[in-house]
Amino acid sequence: MASAASLDVGRLVQEAEALASAVRGALGPRGGQMLLTRPTGETLLTRDGRRVLEALNLGPPTARMMVACVSRHHSMTGDGAKTFIILLSKLLRGLQAILDKREGSPFCEDIQRRESYQKHCHSLKQISQSLMTFQTHILDHIMAQDLRKHFLSAFSSWEGEISRDTMESILEAYFCGRIGNSHQKLLSQLSCDFYYKCISFKNGRNEMLNLVNEYFVELHSAVTGLPVSNSRILEGFVLHRDFAVYCPADGDIRMLIVTESIDSALSASGLEFVVNAEVQYQASQVWITKRTEAIMKHLQNNNIKVLLSSVKQQEIVTYYAKISGISIVECLSSEEISLLCKTTGISPFIPTRDNICSEITETMIAKFCQPLVLGSKRYVHLGLTKTCAFQPHCVIFCGPVHGVTEQHASAFHGAFKMLQQLFKAVDLSDGCEAQPETPVNGQQLKTSMAETEKQFIDFSSLVGENPSCNQTDLQKSADLAMPIVELESDFMFSALIDRGSSVRELQKPPVKCQHPSETWIKNKSEPVVTNHRICNDAMTAIENTSTSVVSKQLNSYKHTVQSYTNVVIQAGSVLPVGGNFEILLHYYLHSYAKQCQQPKITLISTVIADALLSIPKILYSTTKENSFTQVYFKATSALQINQQLPMHQQGLESVYCKYQLVASVLHCVAKLLTIDLIIGIRRLPQKTEVNDSEEDL
Amino acid sequence: MSRIEAKKPSLCTNEPLTKERVSFSLSVLSGIVKSCYGPTGRLKQLHNGMGGYVRTTSQSSALLGGLSITHPVLKVLTASVQNHISRFSDCGLFTAILCCSLVENFQRINFAACTVTKISRHLLSLCTDYLKSEACGCRISVDFDSIKTLLSLVHSVLASKPACMLNKTEANHLSTLVLKAFLLTIPHTVETNVVLGKCVIVPVKDKRVMDSTVFPGLLIEIPESQLARTFPVIRVSSSTIKMALFCISLSGDLSNIGEGTVIVHHGISLEVAVLDQLLNLGKQLINDQVDLVVCQKVIHPSLKQYLEEHRVITIDRVGVSMMEPLSQMTGSQPIAALHSVSPTCYGSLKDLRTESFVSKNFLHLIPNDTLVCSLILCNRNEMAWDELKLACQTAEHVLQLTIKQPLALLGGGCTETHLASYIRHKSFTLPASVLKAIDCSRTQYQLVADAFSRSLECVACCLEHDDGEILTDMVYGHFWSVQSGFPSDCNWSDLVLKCGCGICSNQQNLNWTVLQSQCIPFTPQSCSNEPSVNSTDHLVLDCFTAKCSGLQVAVETTNLILDLSYIVEDQN
């Protein structure tokens, strides 16, 4: 028995709008808190859109799919769940309007002969395809060509360092959306401190962020019943266990990791132990005890002071440890063990017959290892001396209720995910590889283009990824790149002039896949042409720039930094908060739509552009001094005369996160629209019944 | 057969605070907590209506633990109060009442949540800064040279729990005992890491409160039959008693066989083998001249008998909770081996005696260095005993917190009224730059500050349950209560005797007004140099750490509740 229903766009719109209305109240700095209750009776406070959407327990499969898309996006970037769903609902609403119009719509042109249902499906499919085309080609292109000049760099100098001020404004803006204004200041300070304390040298940034994100559970502890202001950062690790044995020690403390019981049992699995006589049994018991004693003595002789164990050790082991002055922490989780191993680079110690006498090398050294009381629980506080790129620190979250500490912890985690995204770059070459076919007359051009591009990517990666490279390196790579650029650009210019007219002719629908790629190639050549000039500018700029703070001074140097490579979004690109990204993208999409010759893309661009505006609309709906219309008017008039956008707020946000958000939303819509039939099945437990149901179908 | 049940969709509520249901349940809860507050608070009886245990109480921990709360907003409130109690034991009702009245008062002024939140956070920081500053007029420092302030602290805690049913002499007696027990747990030698000992409460019901006592060392209950067998103690060595403490079972069971199989040939008994080992252990203990063997788990009867024959006293099944104080007190290390016991593990005791109370017999272990003590707590009936035990534990915790931060706040409502007048005064003299930073107008700030002060005063007012009049003076900003039924033509100065905390008496001309009446803001003076601070009378004092934290938690929780815009309730 199965029920099937065709996909109704109206329903999709309703569902998305219902979801959006659930989270709208929590969007932006003036939004409120949400209170979730779990079936167990716990309460959770949150402003996290993902949590809210997941807590709704929705029935409709398409709505569930939307929530799943939001969750996936959120778990990747740590941000943007609310914006995602609002954008999604507006976009669907816009697309529905197109579908309803029918007449004159480019998505319903040459399909008159079909039935209305099939026609409907066909136009949905068309929209979906155009969305994907838009996402893969046009979005990148607009980002690279138009938006890029507005990006600011979070890095204060060529060394790829982030100044504290910039970091604070990025984090503050993030926490503003995640926890509201009550404790935003405190948490952004806390996370900023954490970032700078954990990073040991600047090249280890990505490694540090990866570790923090992977092991965040191990790196934070929560205490309820205390005021939030008691939250703090502690140096070292807090292991979430108490000492089984504690023997205070001073100075450098040598520690060992064990993953199995030190005391051996009478018989191991798969083996048999045969007792022939009572004396034999007693002797073997004595031998086991003696062996344990010998191991512990050996550890003592090797000056081991602390034993970190992932399993519970026998009482006999703790007894001998106490006698030998060795502290034991047992039942550590496997994550804690692997975190310790990763940061210190040692591997667990396995006592065998061979190494029982030799010297123990796999040890780590701690400055201190002492009990720590947090709330009512006793933990082990560990300060390691020699570590990798990550300087161990951990966060203690305090709050009156569990809901608050959990909210702060997840926001803090999200902030570090967001930082990870901030340092990512988007390459234009991604789209290049994805090109299915190239026009015949463009073949030559294409290959030479690829070459130049390769050079530039090398060049950019040299600058982007190895920030410590000095000026001579830059000069060298620029020298390498420049002759080719000059050569190719001349060639390309002539080629483009020729193609200028042919492109126009080609722009009619029949080969619909080709068009975007061509416009894309045409436009891409522009940054390349300007590249070598800007390179020179950048060279001179390096010589006479001192480190300066982005959020305060916006000089032209910053923009050249952003626009001299082929990277769509350079690592560390940021924009001021308050809907700036949305307004910019809206403006440029509109102007693109005006030029664009292809009706489908024009339509899609307009719909996306309009949907984007919904975010600043909500953000400015509650403030007194700035209404949305004022802000929008100011921004567009500034853009028309090629000026910078006026800034209303201090905060900054990562462009990469925003870019990902738009891309994910487009993906989600495209996916939703390709569905033509929703079939409800009932899972039946018995096979015979399954057969029946097949017959029914 | 697996059945998949569809999850019920969640219930969503928009703008929950404007709903009738919340304000009703909030007023019920605030009514309950308000009526319990203070020494004259009303008692509450908790029962399940099905013949279960009935609890009479006025303490927040028992009360909130017993209430079953369904509304999510109130759940947040009670959870934060309960978390506060689990950290500090004290000031739970204060936190609950303050939180309730803050929510009520802030809702009344009806501003946007974020404005109220910002201002109240600023007010809170004013309060905490003031309380932590030297200039604070409502705190006194605790002098450990004299026990007077410490005794006042304990007395205030015990006196504020009316369900303990203590009269004045009983309260004084118990306060002394609790303080004595606490002082016994402080180590004599001070190292860098001071670890306090433990006070074990031994329940003796059906006896008078005045029979309660404190013993240094531990009392371990033993059955009478064993008592007759083991005593009198004949000591082998003259000076101290040597003791061995075991944390493994000495019952002769087979331990740590492993995951594989053990094949035992016919005619071989592992039990006999183990018992043999046990008896060998017994031999070693006797050779080492051990006088007392204490085991966490069970001792095999044969070993027991063997040891007793050689005049070694055995105590088994003491339980895991006694292990730490035992090893702390005697210096012995819990032994986990059956062979070759290291002599360094033995501990020592000063003396061993027997004590008996009502029908219970105890072995009294007297240590050389007291770190552990036993408080025999008596009360007339079960219910009152439970309440008393909780009160004593609270008092002990308050003392522990005070030793960390040797400060105390004036009790009896004086801190609340004093803080309220401080806040009122501050809100009138606030510089414009601060207002700009908070992004609000002066009127807004003053309205919120007024609601904040009112809530603090409301907590103080809850101390009076008998229709009395509550006054405050215009010099110190303290709390004064007047019994009801006074003649209307009287001067206030003829009616008042002492302020709530007992520091001020009415000899000064203090210019009283009725609390919460409109009056001119003034800077409340400090009265820590008043002569009565050093007099012999009991002052009413509150724990500084607990109250400061309670204040912060209450304001933070209020902000959380006010900021709620949406509730999603899982219906599964």
Side-chain angles (χ1 to χ4, degrees):
Chain A
M1 298 263 280
S3 63
S6 67
L7 185 84
D8 181 7
V9 181
R11 245 191 95 96
L12 279 185
V13 173
Q14 276 177 8
E15 282 165 8
E17 280 178 352
L19 288 176
S21 70
V23 294
R24 187 172 289 133
L27 185 79
R30 289 182 153 249
Q33 294 270 6
M34 309 249 185
L35 183 67
L36 311 180
T37 66
R38 293 192 175 148
T40 48
E42 287 171 79
T43 51
L44 180 69
L45 284 148
T46 190
R47 278 166 58 106
D48 180 345
R50 176 194 177 181
R51 280 259 165 87
V52 177
L53 294 177
E54 283 174 354
L56 288 173
N57 284 336
L58 293 160
T62 39
R64 285 217 293 267
M65 189 170 144
M66 291 176 204
V67 175
C69 285
V70 172
S71 300
R72 207 174 42 240
H73 170 75
H74 186 271
S75 63
M76 194 171 70
T77 58
D79 198 11
K82 286 167 282 187
T83 319
F84 187 109
I85 201 76
I86 290 168
L87 205 54
L88 180 71
S89 72
K90 291 289 170 197
L91 202 54
L92 283 171
R93 169 69 76 190
L95 293 174
Q96 190 198 21
I98 299 180
L99 284 169
D100 286 348
K101 239 191 275 169
R102 295 279 163 118
E103 311 281 312
S105 161
F107 295 103
C108 315
E109 276 171 2
D110 51 334
I111 39 171
Q112 307 297 342
R113 58 205 157 75
R114 305 191 191 193
E115 286 172 50
S116 83
Y117 169 67
Q118 278 174 324
K119 205 163 87 185
H120 180 69
C121 284
H122 180 77
S123 45
L124 281 182
K125 181 78 190 156
Q126 295 262 305
I127 291 177
S128 170
Q129 268 174 357
S130 328
L131 279 171
M132 289 317 290
T133 323
F134 176 85
Q135 194 256 312
T136 42
H137 306 311
I138 296 157
L139 183 62
D140 277 5
H141 151 69
I142 289 177
M143 296 290 292
Q145 203 201 2
D146 299 322
L147 253 73
R148 198 168 62 180
K149 56 179 176 277
H150 296 278
F151 297 164
L152 313 172
S153 175
F155 301 121
S156 56
S157 65
W158 280 97
E159 275 77 47
E161 272 175 36
I162 288 197
S163 78
R164 223 190 145 87
D165 286 356
T166 319
M167 192 64 156
E168 264 172 34
S169 48
I170 293 172
L171 287 168
E172 220 165 277
Y174 176 82
F175 282 113
C176 203
R178 282 299 295 275
I179 54 168
N181 52 25
S182 47
H183 301 295
Q184 158 215 2
K185 196 93 190 164
L186 181 102
L187 271 175
S188 58
Q189 284 291 335
L190 212 60
S191 52
C192 198
D193 282 348
F194 191 71
Y195 177 82
Y196 284 108
K197 279 181 176 173
C198 285
I199 198 159
S200 53
F201 47 92
K202 55 183 184 276
N203 287 341
R205 186 175 56 211
N206 288 337
E207 193 185 341
M208 184 276 276
L209 286 174
N210 285 343
L211 260 176
V212 169
N213 283 329
E214 191 179 351
Y215 293 103
F216 190 72
V217 180
E218 283 69 42
L219 292 174
H220 81 271
S221 326
V223 185
T224 54
L226 294 180
V228 176
S229 53
N230 286 20
S231 303
R232 62 193 181 274
I233 292 171
L234 284 183
E235 195 196 345
F237 288 124
V238 171
L239 303 176
H240 295 179
R241 294 279 181 266
D242 190 14
F243 283 105
V245 181
Y246 177 55
C247 306
D250 290 326
D252 280 352
I253 303 166
R254 299 224 314 164
M255 302 198 287
L256 203 62
I257 294 177
V258 286
T259 47
E260 50 192 70
S261 181
I262 286 179
D263 188 43
S264 51
L266 210 53
S267 62
S269 65
L271 293 176
E272 279 183 356
F273 179 79
V274 183
V275 183
N276 290 319
E278 281 154 19
V279 187
Q280 181 217 353
Y281 175 74
Q282 285 173 359
S284 48
Q285 288 283 11
V286 172
W287 181 83
I288 289 171
T289 316
K290 290 280 181 214
R291 182 179 176 271
T292 308
E293 192 182 356
I295 294 175
M296 296 312 285
K297 276 272 166 320
H298 178 59
L299 296 182
Q300 190 187 11
N301 293 338
N302 275 280
N303 204 16
I304 303 289
K305 292 286 183 205
V306 181
L307 212 58
L308 302 172
S309 162
S310 61
V311 292
K312 173 128 183 64
Q313 297 290 345
Q314 297 289 328
E315 280 151 333
I316 189 96
V317 178
T318 54
Y319 167 64
Y320 280 117
K322 183 90 189 165
I323 291 177
S324 325
I326 298 174
S327 308
I328 295 187
V329 188
E330 52 190 19
C331 303
L332 290 169
S333 68
S334 55
E335 287 84 12
E336 279 171 319
I337 294 286
S338 75
L339 174 63
L340 285 170
C341 289
K342 267 195 188 169
T343 43
T344 55
I346 67 163
S347 53
F349 169 76
I350 298 157
T352 58
R353 192 182 288 274
D354 305 326
N355 69 6
I356 211 159
C357 305
S358 59
E359 203 190 336
I360 300 167
T361 48
E362 291 289 324
T363 58
M364 49 186 174
I365 311 230
K367 267 180 285 182
F368 56 83
C369 180
Q370 62 207 25
L372 173 78
V373 179
L374 289 178
S376 54
K377 294 205 183 85
R378 290 157 60 94
Y379 295 133
V380 175
H381 189 195
L382 197 68
L384 297 171
T385 46
K386 218 166 72 187
T387 50
C388 61
F390 170 62
Q391 284 284 339
H393 279 85
C394 56
V395 211
I396 315 283
F397 294 106
C398 299
V401 277
H402 175 71
V404 174
T405 55
E406 197 173 319
Q407 182 189 14
H408 289 179
S410 74
F412 200 93
H413 193 185
F416 276 84
K417 276 187 192 159
M418 183 271 291
L419 286 181
Q420 213 174 7
Q421 303 294 314
L422 178 69
F423 300 123
K424 277 188 185 162
V426 177
D427 268 335
L428 207 53
S429 57
D430 288 354
C432 177
E433 251 92 73
Q435 282 305 312
E437 48 184 333
T438 11
V440 185
N441 57 353
Q443 192 75 56
Q444 251 184 317
L445 172 72
K446 184 78 193 167
T447 43
S448 56
M449 273 292 293
E451 238 173 87
T452 345
E453 213 165 76
K454 214 170 133 216
Q455 275 293 344
F456 266 94
I457 289 159
D458 287 345
F459 176 46
S460 67
S461 64
L462 199 68
V463 179
E465 283 166 32
N466 185 9
S468 59
C469 83
N470 52 29
Q471 204 194 319
T472 50
D473 280 345
L474 276 171
Q475 197 69 57
K476 216 191 289 169
S477 56
D479 285 343
L480 266 173
M482 227 122 40
I484 308 167
V485 171
E486 276 162 345
L487 223 161
E488 304 307 347
S489 55
D490 286 345
F491 167 64
M492 277 192 299
F493 261 131
S494 54
L496 276 169
I497 293 160
D498 286 346
R499 283 171 53 74
S501 52
S502 61
V503 163
R504 292 278 144 75
E505 288 158 21
L506 271 168
Q507 270 169 357
K508 294 218 164 119
V511 200
K512 51 179 190 303
C513 201
Q514 263 178 6
H515 165 72
S517 71
E518 277 168 11
T519 43
W520 174 68
I521 286 169
K522 187 184 82 182
N523 288 313
K524 198 176 63 168
S525 60
E526 284 171 28
V528 175
V529 174
T530 50
N531 261 340
H532 65 274
R533 200 193 70 234
I534 296 165
C535 269
N536 288 333
D537 287 353
M539 287 307 141
T540 48
I542 302 163
E543 285 165 47
N544 49 25
T545 23
S546 52
T547 52
S548 53
V549 180
V550 188
S551 59
K552 305 266 158 70
Q553 300 167 276
L554 308 167
N555 49 27
S556 61
Y557 154 62
K558 296 294 169 199
H559 309 309
T560 60
V561 168
Q562 288 299 320
S563 55
Y564 88 105
T565 55
N566 261 353
V567 179
V568 177
I569 301 169
Q570 220 184 4
S573 299
V574 285
L575 267 178
V577 291
N580 270 0
F581 177 84
E582 285 85 358
I583 293 176
L584 282 174
L585 192 55
H586 164 85
Y587 178 81
Y588 286 115
L589 277 179
H590 253 303
S591 47
Y592 176 81
K594 272 178 211 152
Q595 299 160 12
C596 183
Q597 304 294 315
Q598 217 202 5
K600 281 183 192 172
I601 298 296
T602 311
L603 207 53
I604 291 287
S605 305
T606 326
V607 168
I608 294 170
D610 289 340
L612 278 167
L613 270 195
S614 61
I615 303 297
K617 261 182 200 161
I618 295 172
L619 284 178
Y620 290 105
S621 65
T622 46
T623 49
K624 281 164 279 176
E625 59 267 39
N626 287 313
S627 73
F628 167 69
T629 34
Q630 280 174 320
V631 172
Y632 179 67
F633 178 72
K634 273 187 208 157
T636 40
S637 48
L639 285 173
Q640 270 155 10
I641 49 169
N642 276 324
Q643 274 183 348
Q644 274 300 304
L645 286 189
M647 271 166 64
H648 302 288
Q649 280 145 319
Q650 280 284 308
L652 298 169
E653 58 192 346
S654 157
V655 176
Y656 184 81
C657 285
K658 285 280 169 190
Y659 166 80
Q660 276 296 326
L661 178 77
V662 175
S664 304
V665 171
L666 292 178
H667 256 287
C668 180
V669 175
K671 213 156 74 176
L672 281 169
L673 294 183
T674 41
I675 300 169
D676 78 325
L677 209 59
I678 300 163
I679 305 169
I681 55 156
R682 200 161 40 155
R683 192 181 294 166
L684 296 164
Q686 280 171 8
K687 276 215 161 156
T688 48
E689 282 176 276
V690 173
N691 290 339
D692 287 348
S693 69
E694 273 168 6
E695 278 166 24
D696 277 349
L697 267 170
Chain B
M1 293 250 292
S2 64
R3 260 189 55 177
I4 301 163
E5 205 168 308
K7 278 193 172 177
K8 284 185 211 137
S10 302
L11 180 74
C12 303
T13 322
N14 199 6
E15 298 294 328
L17 286 185
T18 53
K19 303 283 186 294
E20 188 85 348
R21 192 178 147 214
V22 180
S23 44
F24 176 71
S25 20
L26 192 68
S27 68
V28 170
L29 182 73
S30 85
I32 292 173
V33 285
K34 278 177 182 170
S35 62
C36 284
Y37 194 49
T40 59
R42 306 294 189 240
L43 306 186
K44 302 285 168 286
Q45 208 167 45
L46 300 173
H47 70 103
N48 64 358
M50 295 194 292
Y53 173 69
V54 177
R55 170 123 205 202
T56 310
T57 188
S58 69
Q59 295 191 46
S60 52
S61 50
L63 202 61
L64 295 178
L67 293 178
S68 56
I69 286 155
T70 47
H71 198 280
V73 173
L74 292 194
K75 263 189 197 161
V76 171
L77 201 159
T78 50
S80 72
V81 175
Q82 278 175 309
N83 286 331
H84 168 82
I85 297 166
S86 68
R87 287 295 90 76
F88 298 100
S89 302
D90 200 19
C91 297
L93 282 178
F94 165 79
T95 311
I97 298 172
L98 182 60
C99 193
C100 287
S101 34
L102 277 172
V103 172
E104 285 165 352
N105 281 324
F106 283 160
Q107 271 193 296
R108 213 164 288 152
I109 54 174
N110 203 15
F111 284 160
C114 60
T115 318
V116 177
T117 310
K118 270 186 197 160
I119 299 173
S120 66
R121 270 166 50 79
H122 186 256
L123 290 169
L124 176 65
S125 69
L126 280 182
C127 285
T128 49
D129 290 348
Y130 178 63
L131 289 174
K132 280 170 187 159
S133 73
E134 285 293 318
C136 175
C138 56
R139 72 171 201 197
I140 57 170
S141 55
V142 176
D143 179 13
F144 283 95
D145 287 341
S146 82
I147 59 160
K148 198 191 141 240
T149 32
L150 290 175
L151 207 54
S152 298
L153 265 172
V154 179
H155 192 269
S156 314
V157 172
L158 293 182
S160 68
K161 317 287 189 248
C164 296
M165 310 282 183
L166 300 177
N167 62 30
K168 207 168 178 191
T169 39
E170 287 170 341
N172 285 337
H173 177 68
L174 267 183
S175 313
T176 325
L177 285 185
V178 170
L179 184 58
K180 199 173 153 189
F182 173 71
L183 293 176
L184 282 174
T185 62
I186 299 173
H188 291 301
T189 51
V190 178
E191 294 158 38
T192 43
N193 274 334
V194 180
V195 180
L196 290 181
K198 205 180 170 190
C199 169
V200 180
I201 294 178
V202 182
V204 174
K205 288 152 194 176
D206 311 323
K207 274 204 113 182
R208 293 181 310 130
V209 177
M210 295 303 283
D211 291 329
S212 310
T213 46
V214 172
F215 288 105
L218 271 180
L219 290 174
I220 298 175
E221 196 180 342
I222 50 167
E224 199 167 3
S225 55
Q226 202 194 345
L227 194 71
R229 237 180 24 231
T230 48
F231 275 85
V233 191
I234 300 156
R235 290 210 240 149
V236 182
S237 56
S238 55
S239 56
T240 54
I241 295 171
K242 213 180 208 179
M243 184 186 120
L245 182 64
F246 284 89
C247 61
I248 51 163
S249 165
L250 297 178
S251 65
D253 50 357
L254 304 169
S255 58
N256 199 14
I257 294 294
E259 286 163 346
T261 44
V262 175
I263 295 167
V264 184
H265 281 229
H266 183 71
I268 293 168
S269 162
L270 292 185
E271 283 74 22
V272 173
V274 178
L275 188 59
D276 226 34
Q277 283 180 320
L278 283 178
L279 290 177
N280 277 333
L281 175 70
K283 230 173 254 167
Q284 197 204 337
L285 291 174
I286 291 160
N287 284 339
D288 288 346
Q289 296 182 323
V290 172
D291 305 296
L292 173 69
V293 173
V294 182
C295 181
Q296 182 192 334
K297 293 166 185 173
V298 182
I299 303 179
H300 196 283
S302 309
L303 178 63
K304 226 179 193 175
Q305 199 189 357
Y306 177 76
L307 288 172
E308 274 166 12
E309 277 168 10
H310 291 84
R311 289 176 184 156
V312 178
I313 302 162
T314 55
I315 309 170
D316 62 350
R317 304 178 215 218
V318 291
V320 71
S321 61
M322 290 292 241
M323 292 304 280
E324 205 196 324
L326 268 172
S327 107
Q328 205 176 18
M329 171 177 95
T330 60
S332 51
Q333 279 171 20
I335 303 165
L338 289 182
H339 342 271
S340 57
V341 173
S342 160
T344 52
C345 300
Y346 299 137
S348 65
L349 277 177
K350 197 172 163 192
D351 205 356
L352 197 62
R353 277 187 213 151
T354 54
E355 311 277 348
S356 59
F357 283 93
V358 201
S359 57
K360 287 179 176 175
N361 295 297
F362 297 97
L363 207 55
H364 182 194
L365 282 65
I366 304 166
N368 289 314
D369 183 16
T370 52
L371 257 180
V372 178
C373 65
S374 304
L375 171 63
I376 297 213
L377 199 59
C378 313
N379 209 346
R380 291 172 204 90
N381 60 46
E382 179 103 23
M383 263 187 305
W385 189 86
D386 285 342
E387 191 76 2
L388 188 59
K389 185 194 172 199
L390 209 56
C392 287
Q393 283 172 336
T394 306
E396 196 197 347
H397 198 175
V398 164
L399 287 170
Q400 286 169 355
L401 291 171
T402 309
I403 210 168
K404 274 190 207 153
Q405 197 167 15
L407 293 169
L409 285 172
L410 303 180
C414 288
T415 294
E416 287 86 349
T417 49
H418 182 92
L419 260 187
S421 34
Y422 174 78
I423 286 296
R424 282 227 173 81
H425 169 71
K426 271 277 171 184
S427 71
F428 275 86
T429 54
L430 202 72
S433 59
V434 179
L435 291 173
K436 198 157 180 257
I438 309 172
D439 187 26
C440 69
S441 70
R442 187 171 289 275
T443 332
Q444 276 178 327
Y445 191 90
Q446 278 170 0
L447 277 170
V448 177
D450 188 57
F452 193 92
S453 309
R454 260 171 204 285
S455 312
L456 277 171
E457 286 166 348
C458 173
V459 181
C461 289
C462 292
L463 285 168
E464 178 59 60
H465 298 279
D466 301 304
D467 295 332
E469 191 69 62
I470 293 160
L471 310 178
T472 182
D473 63 85
M474 300 278 277
V475 179
Y476 301 121
H478 277 208
F479 172 96
W480 306 75
S481 77
V482 179
Q483 284 188 352
S484 59
F486 53 87
S488 55
D489 55 344
C490 253
N491 259 337
W492 290 127
S493 58
D494 300 336
L495 295 165
V496 290
L497 275 173
K498 268 196 163 186
C499 72
C501 63
I503 274 190
C504 308
S505 48
N506 79 336
Q507 40 199 300
Q508 304 100 334
N509 191 19
L510 289 176
N511 193 11
W512 288 275
T513 55
V514 176
L515 192 66
Q516 295 197 331
S517 63
Q518 294 296 324
C519 60
I520 321 118
F522 63 97
T523 330
Q525 306 288 313
S526 168
C527 54
S528 51
N529 44 8
E530 286 296 310
S532 54
V533 173
N534 302 314
S535 75
T536 49
D537 287 356
H538 271 311
L539 298 178
V540 180
L541 296 176
D542 283 331
C543 178
F544 180 83
T545 324
K547 202 153 199 165
C548 274
S549 183
L551 176 71
Q552 295 180 55
V553 164
V555 177
E556 280 178 6
T557 312
T558 309
N559 287 345
L560 278 183
I561 291 175
L562 290 178
D563 204 21
L564 288 179
S565 68
Y566 209 77
I567 298 181
V568 180
E569 280 175 85
D570 201 314
Q571 303 270 294
N572 294 298

